[in-house]
Amino acid sequence: MNEQLQNFFVKWDEKAQKSVAKNPERKLMFTNASRLSIKRVYTPLDVTGDYLDDISLPGEYPFTRGVQPTMYRGRFWTMRQYAGMASAEESNDRYLYLLEQGQTGLSVAFDLPTQIGYDSDHPLAAGEVGKVGVAIDSLADMELLFKGIPLDKVSTSMTINAPAAVLLAMYIVVAEKQGVSQDKLVGTIQNDILKEYAARGTYIFPPGPSMRLITDIFAYCAQHVPEWNTISISGYHIREAGSTAVQEVAFTLSDGIAYVAAAILAGLDVDDFAPRLSFFFNSHVDFFEEVAKFRAARRLWAKIMKERFKAKNPRSMMLRFHTQTGGSTLTAQQPDNNVVRVTLQALAAVLGGTQSLHTNSRDEALALPTEESVRIALRTQQIIACESGVADTVDPLAGSYYIENLTNEIEVAAWSQIQKIDALGGAIAAIEKGYMQREIQESAYDWQMQVERKERIVVGVNQFHVKEDALRGLLRVDATVGEKQVQRLQVLRSQRDNQQVRVALAQLETDAKSTANIMPSLIEAVRAYATLGEICNCLRNIFGEYHADNLL
Amino acid sequence: MMTEGMQIRVLVAKPGLDGHDRGAKVIARALRDAGMEVIYTGLRQTPEQIVEAALQEDVDVIGLSCLSGAHNHLFAQVIELLKKHHAEDILVVGGGVIPEEDIPLLKAQGVKEIFTPGTGTLAVVEYIKKHALPR
């Protein structure tokens, strides 16, 4: 059949060339965002490889078609809108609202001082308290944040990295006070420090001690919080910082390799912790490229876990992931158009087999989203799930010549990048040498230049303009939230048992200096209402702080 | 307006705790490609550190980038400190996720221009070439 097709294709191609000579195509070269070239048409000739080895069935190695046999026929992906602002009370209101609107999981956004381990009264926190997320200074704030939300009934994802262990400790204690034991808890901490150095910026400690905190969490959760996703290895921010789709896959999986290697080096058995690793990707503008990216990432990770790390448990080989639509693809111009962008990106994530999804709101190029905008974003997911029919069969784009070819191409291109990083000494070394950062910057600049040369059209930005008034009614974070948070902190410090705090912090210091697992003493410290800043300062004194090179 | 042939010196700065530096780095590179001398502060700079760097490097322009919503607080502090050091002649511009309604206040305080999402790098280059004062 292939020879026949080959001959037919040659003849067809001649005809097509003649037609192009008369009526030129829109471009001389068609490429996707990763600069892979796109052919005029794909045929069975473009899908090399073996169906059973490379594609197989859903829930079967190498999981190209998805990690479960029934996927969304069993249940839809988790609809999980990233939210949090101002005080714990206000964020709690937003969570209760989202749950009432049919959201199925929580996703907590913390403010920057929290993410960098500063209390709200630290000089560097000035102006930042409550701005990009909720301010959490101590267990007292965390208790308010989850008030009225049964932690045995919801799954909670927390975007927290450098101080992830501290926030997890707080979550465990809040649950305990609700009468929910830690083995019942379901959720995720992002806990991915490597992409913070490479792309996101909320690091505290240097790589060595940061990796130790991470492997301590792996070990602790394997024993005590078995349903918890101990890390969400994130390509999202790498992509937002400007990488291509191929780089997103390559850098993320390289970071994943570094975590697995570190945990094995710390004495853990791969199948004890690997089933709880999870991933987080971006869904960007190029629809088919994104679908293929998710499928390629799944296949690549399965192979890496099986072949490189000799995992035996299939769950260790499954790349389970959360997706967020691409924040940097939103435009401040004609913001309602963002609803359409988000719809396409969300659809790509679903066709790519995501386990959970955040859809961005139309006003996020301008501010945090209003309640109305968030509702439209959530409804977008519900329309895809309940009305479009795309969730009724597993991996419906499989077998598309284009999708399968692109899945292969992305896998090959990402694998070659991963090997390059291996040759540099792995992800940590590559980051320390500035390799990932430079690659990302190059791609970001390249993208911007494509937009400015109009090789890439962004509707409403470099074409199809209208005169428009500034969008009114944007969400504003209460300017007094910083002061209120500082007052609350002062009250806490005067009312808690400060002797108990001193004892707990002394124990934390001892454990941090030794090779003991740090989680038990962290749990005791947060239980005593030691603040996040106090805990992180204690660790800063022992671990030191990371300082980035300012690469340009 | 700078005299022909003089190289404009620009400090691109990230005040506060915001880690989004894609825009700052793209702008920095575009300004450099346009022939300016560019110094990038890196992340997590206090207004004091930024002003100190600006004075030490004797820059003509400071470009502030903030996407965390803390711009009103942080930009105002930079302006305040420049006044304190009698360095108001340094052109201060800003960019990031900044709502339209905040712009008049920022301009009244002394930020000369705010570039919002979607602005091309050429617009920023042109603005700086036209408005940077020789020091």
Side-chain angles (χ1 to χ4, degrees), chain A residues 28-322:
Chain A
L28 288 174
M29 277 275 286
F30 286 77
T31 54
N32 62 19
S34 294
R35 295 282 183 158
L36 299 171
S37 67
I38 299 165
K39 295 190 195 186
R40 183 170 294 125
V41 70
Y42 289 81
T43 70
L45 298 170
D46 296 298
V47 188
T48 51
D50 181 76
Y51 179 82
L52 280 179
D53 287 348
D54 296 338
I55 301 170
S56 195
L57 288 167
E60 299 294 328
Y61 183 87
F63 307 104
T64 311
R65 304 200 61 181
V67 294
Q68 298 135 1
T70 62
M71 289 300 289
Y72 312 133
R73 285 167 66 99
R75 69 170 185 84
F76 293 129
W77 60 93
T78 303
M79 300 177 191
R80 197 192 288 285
Q81 298 296 93
Y82 184 45
M85 72 282 185
S87 65
E89 290 95 332
E90 278 177 74
S91 298
N92 179 261
D93 282 346
R94 179 66 70 94
Y95 299 157
L96 291 170
Y97 171 79
L98 285 165
L99 291 169
E100 193 184 289
Q101 293 299 314
Q103 173 165 293
T104 48
L106 295 177
S107 175
V108 182
F110 295 102
D111 72 357
L112 285 165
T114 306
Q115 293 189 49
I116 304 175
Y118 294 124
D119 284 337
S120 296
D121 58 356
H122 191 283
L124 280 170
E128 307 272 17
V129 176
K131 286 282 160 54
V132 304
V134 59
I136 299 292
D137 287 316
S138 77
L139 181 64
D141 294 326
M142 204 70 161
E143 288 165 358
L144 289 171
L145 188 65
F146 293 106
K147 199 171 168 195
I149 300 170
L151 298 188
D152 54 345
K153 300 277 189 320
V154 295
S155 72
T156 302
S157 170
M158 292 188 273
T159 297
I160 194 75
N161 293 279
V166 188
L167 274 296
L168 174 61
M170 287 184 189
Y171 193 80
I172 289 170
V173 178
V174 170
E176 188 187 286
K177 291 192 170 188
Q178 283 189 2
V180 178
S181 58
Q182 51 184 338
D183 58 309
K184 304 277 189 311
L185 295 177
V186 180
T188 308
I189 40 176
Q190 198 162 74
N191 199 24
D192 170 11
I193 199 65
L194 293 177
K195 64 90 177 57
E196 296 296 332
Y197 303 132
R200 190 170 175 274
T202 68
Y203 40 73
I204 304 177
F205 315 112
S210 294
M211 295 301 276
R212 178 258 175 115
L213 287 173
I214 291 167
T215 52
D216 276 3
I217 292 170
F218 288 0
Y220 181 86
C221 290
Q223 263 199 313
H224 303 287
V225 203
E227 297 298 302
W228 197 263
N229 297 313
T230 51
I231 193 166
S232 173
I233 306 163
S234 305
Y236 181 81
H237 319 88
I238 291 171
R239 190 68 180 278
E240 284 297 291
S243 87
T244 66
V246 166
Q247 288 169 332
E248 181 189 357
V249 173
F251 297 170
T252 308
L253 299 197
S254 284
D255 288 350
I257 290 169
Y259 294 123
V260 174
I264 291 173
L265 198 66
L268 301 178
D269 183 272
V270 66
D271 286 317
D272 282 345
F273 68 88
R276 297 320 309 172
L277 305 179
S278 64
F279 289 82
F280 174 21
F281 291 111
N282 200 302
S283 193
H284 217 261
V285 293
D286 189 321
F287 185 81
F288 290 112
E289 183 182 30
E290 293 303 294
V291 176
K293 176 188 81 179
F294 300 124
R295 301 173 86 248
R298 256 195 312 268
R299 183 157 74 207
L300 208 39
W301 186 246
K303 289 183 187 170
I304 289 167
M305 291 309 289
K306 187 175 181 178
E307 290 164 18
R308 183 165 180 164
F309 292 113
K310 312 291 176 214
K312 301 275 182 299
N313 182 351
R315 301 193 73 82
S316 302
M317 306 169 201
M318 291 177 190
L319 181 145
R320 297 171 300 121
F321 68 101
H322 172 69

Side-chain angles (χ1 to χ4, degrees), chain B residues 7-20:
Chain B
Q7 200 179 26
I8 303 174
R9 289 169 67 81
V10 186
L11 182 75
V12 173
K14 285 290 301 176
L17 301 179
D18 176 32
H20 295 90

